[in-house]
Amino acid sequence: MSGQEVAFGPLLRSMRRAKSLTIEALAEASGVSERGIGDLERGRRAAPQRRTVAALADGLGLDDADRERLLAAARAGRAPGYSPVGVRSFPRGIDDFVGRADELAGLEALAARPPQGRAPAEGGGAADGQPVVVVIHGPPGTGKTTLALRAARHLADRFPDGQLIVDLNGTDDSPPAPSELMVRVLKAFGVPDRDLARTGPQTHPALYRQVLADRRCLLVLDNARDEAQVRPLLPGSGGTLVLVTSRRMLTGLDDVHRLPLGGLEPAESAAFLTSLVGGARATAEPEALEEVARLCGHLPLALRIAGNWLATRTGWTVRRLADRLASEERRLDALSAGDVRVTTAFDLSYRQLTPTAARLFRRLSLVPGPDVSAACAARLTGQDVHDAEDTLEELVEAGLVGSAEDRYRLHDLLCLYGRCRLTAEDGEADVERARRSMFGWLLETAVVAGRWYEPGHGAPPASWRGTVDLSGADRAREWLQAEAANWLAALHAAAADGDHATVVEVAESLHWFSDQWMFWGHWPEVFGTAVRSAEALGDPLLEATQLNYYAWAVLICEGRPRDSLPHAARALAAARRAGDAEQQAWAHAYAAWAHRVLREEDPAAEHSAQAVALFEAAGDLHGMLQALVSRALDLKGAGRDEEAVDAYRQVLTRLDEVGDRVEPHIAAFTRVNALAGLGGAYSRLGRWEEAVEYLRASVALSRTDGNIALESRYLLVLGDVLLGAGRPAEAREAFTRCVALGGDADPRRVAEARSRLARLDGDRRHPPPGVGVR
């Protein structure tokens, strides 16, 4: 203290005597005990918390100036000899900090909040409420410590009583105990060794809380092992902001704010690498720089290693490092610079796992898709689903697996690391059994889920004992979409293993479901694989069926009508060899569709007529309905709109007549197309109100049925019709809805809707584009 400052005890004594009060009288006036006042005046007790000082000031009847003198002496006296530990003494590694703007803004907002429970003290002092505690957690290498240090430097001025970082060494085999860490903090805040020795370890927790009370400090508890290590170090009151960094989520801590960290955004990764390698090299090879960032999984630690590697090897091009990282087998070894290695960071977390969690972590590297469900993960270890979910949550808590809703995901580099551990620790036979068990379960479940949409099947059979909820078509759709990348990989594996019967069975079960998710992007892959399997089986009927599906996928999903025609022709030839009228009808139907898109009306009408006759002969009601829609489209293409209206109405009448003999989703699919066809026909006849009415009904039913592809198609048509009807505001709304539908929409329709919006924005005086069903 300076010569002008007076210690709290002597100042309190002088003020009491100036008021002619005894200790007993002050105790009665303030509510503070006689012993407490005596200990304070004799220096036997550290300065009190603010509420005690306020009570004493009230008992003494102090004016504002003397009250502030007493408060200031209390603040100065709580840590005798304290020398603030500022951010300048923090470790290096934050000068090239990039990104995390949202996270820093969130920390700044929390730092600006008064502690819970009390308003800030006068004169900028701390409050008596509960301090703000933030847990910054995430996988190894995400830059948790760097973010905490950056925040500490940025927020230093808000915490005039000091900023302190304490390394908890949580990844060590024997990390320091809370009692040892408390002593470190107390010493850093200037508590003499003699005081610590005199009071004894049993009083250190109370002293720790007292020293931090009424102070406005920033305390970084770095690299925490678990809740038990952290909990005793959290101050109970005062204005301290505590930033806890940990690989674990520390779920057991109450009343804390949580800040999860993952990889950087691609632009942030590129900026980070640029800061390390220099602007000239980054500008010279921007694509290679982006590739390095991607291969590093946008993980800050990996990016730093890659950047340092290039910075110290000026003769290397960025492309050379990108090529080196491209090999999955060598990538982890390449991500090392001196004594800093990505795998070292991963090792520290992995070795703390229980054996069960470590085993599942390794086997998660076998999952081919980006994420996995607990039910699928259970097949890798033979656990039941609930046990697998508990183990996955252990991995989430450890920061090695991410989760979103009921899906679990490994970071790309952690997946490579898990694969390395799998090779080193698991036998080849065990690994193969786990893989086959997972793939077999995926394909079996895909068949059961897909058959919800197949005529004559529906709900799973009573004998099925599945581990996922497929109690309705909507749940089946959710599962098929969520696990799509995984069951698709399993399908390819079955084809490679020569299990052609299973490949064909899976494709067959997904035939009608594919209409519900047209623009997934992989149906040509599914049905093309099934065509090859059907050919290997030597069954012409299976070959015809899968060729028809493949013709549809090329025509609709890839938008290549001309290329689809040879596949439809091959399907027709195979169906004739098999003597199957139904598949012959479908081959004609797909050929008609392709010719119609190509505006070749005569062959389209000829194929449609043959399809109707063959479906009628085969007794295929579902196919017949599609053929009737096709015939109406032929009439529209020939400019015979009145006849097209009648044909579409016949389809709707037929749907009403057959009732539940048609699968619900097929009925909805057919009705959507018929309603939209009516709307288009009425628009060409200039009957705008009827056109809009039927198109709105078609769009609404598409949404109800969950068919985003059809919804996008007919929102575009609705918008065009509304423009033709002179209702541009409603047209804009339809185009906007189309653009907002997302990845499952028809990309061509979305692009056209975006173009329409641009045209409306650019010049509203232009006449509307031509209308018509596409």
Side-chain angles (χ1 to χ4, degrees), residues 723-724 726 728 755-756 758-770:
L723 282 178
S755 175
R756 303 284 202 281
R759 188 180 306 173
L760 285 169
D761 291 337
D763 190 350
R764 300 190 182 192
R765 294 172 300 174
H766 283 183

Side-chain angles (χ1 to χ4, degrees), residues 350 357-365 395 400 410 414 417-418:
Y350 176 73
R359 181 168 176 254
L360 180 56
F361 171 76
R362 297 192 300 272
R363 295 193 174 187
L364 286 176
S365 66
L395 293 172
L400 291 174
L410 274 180
L414 279 167
Y417 175 78

Side-chain angles (χ1 to χ4, degrees), residues 15-79:
M15 287 181 170
R16 177 177 61 78
R17 290 176 175 173
K19 297 290 184 178
S20 302
L21 292 174
T22 64
I23 289 179
E24 293 82 355
L26 179 56
E28 182 177 354
S30 67
V32 180
S33 70
E34 295 179 22
R35 180 175 178 180
I37 296 173
D39 286 345
L40 286 169
E41 289 190 356
R42 289 187 288 272
R44 293 178 179 176
R45 175 183 165 194
Q49 296 186 8
R50 180 183 175 278
R51 58 179 174 268
T52 302
V53 179
L56 291 169
D58 290 341
L60 290 166
L62 299 180
D63 59 21
D64 289 344
D66 282 343
R67 177 185 291 266
E68 180 53 37
R69 286 180 62 207
L70 193 65
L71 285 167
R75 287 195 297 270
R78 287 192 185 95

Side-chain angles (χ1 to χ4, degrees), residues 244-259:
V244 183
T245 73
S246 179
R247 300 178 179 204
R248 305 182 67 84
M249 295 177 70
L250 304 182
T251 306
L253 293 181
D254 297 325
D255 298 320
V256 301
H257 301 272
R258 301 189 184 281
L259 184 58

